[in-house]
Amino acid sequence: MVVAGALVANGLLLLAQRSRPPELAGMWELPGGKVEPGESPEGALERELREELGVETVVGQQLAGDVDLAGGLVLRAYRVELMSGTPAPLDHSDLRWVDARGLVGADLVDADRAWVPELSGMLRQP
Ligand code: C5P
């Protein structure tokens, strides 16, 4: 399983720009990564966000609908609350906070598009 986090603050959602692989580099995603053996999905997501963004988070509600990825992986997304730190692109090319219009207009990785309607409803409207 792969887990991803929707970090929303002040009506804006944090998007992260992938630096790899070449076919996905430059595209934007909800930050996260693979669940390792012995980890819960929530624990894995907190670890990934610590490693990738340098922040401490608490994982909240799951977003609706898991997404099938290539290679038999399943992608699941959760609401995430920021507890401490300021997100930094430790593993991504860049970070960006987007409102509803910015999310709809972003060059998102395909898998994450499933959550655009649900996420847009949580964000500041233009
Ligand atoms: O980030 P990482 O390469 O560990 O992600 C594992 C797989 O999950 C990749 O195929 C990546 O494209 C996918 N993924 C995704 N959307 C995310 C995070 C990861 O489709 N938000």
Side-chain angles (χ1 to χ4, degrees):
M1 174 173 286
V2 181
V3 286
L7 183 47
V8 177
N10 302 316
L12 300 175
L13 171 73
L14 186 71
L15 292 182
Q17 188 176 38
R18 290 194 64 98
S19 59
R20 62 177 184 275
E23 59 271 23
L24 295 180
M27 299 183 79
W28 296 82
E29 67 175 6
L30 301 178
K34 290 194 181 106
V35 179
E36 302 290 345
E39 280 185 319
S40 65
E42 292 87 350
L45 184 52
E46 289 170 5
R47 173 186 53 74
E48 287 284 350
L49 298 180
R50 187 180 302 123
E51 290 172 359
E52 294 187 351
L53 305 174
V55 295
E56 292 302 322
T57 56
V58 169
V59 173
Q61 259 202 321
Q62 210 179 304
L63 301 189
D66 291 345
V67 176
D68 290 326
L69 298 174
L73 291 171
V74 172
L75 176 66
R76 177 175 293 174
Y78 293 85
R79 287 288 305 259
V80 166
E81 196 183 340
L82 184 62
M83 301 308 286
S84 66
T86 301
L90 304 180
D91 191 50
H92 287 88
S93 304
D94 200 3
L95 301 178
R96 177 195 284 176
W97 292 94
V98 294
D99 63 9
R101 181 191 293 179
L103 176 60
V104 169
D107 186 18
L108 285 184
V109 299
D110 278 346
D112 295 32
R113 297 207 158 274
W115 297 299
V116 167
E118 182 176 356
L119 289 170
S120 295
M122 301 174 193
L123 302 181
R124 208 185 282 173
Q125 305 296 316

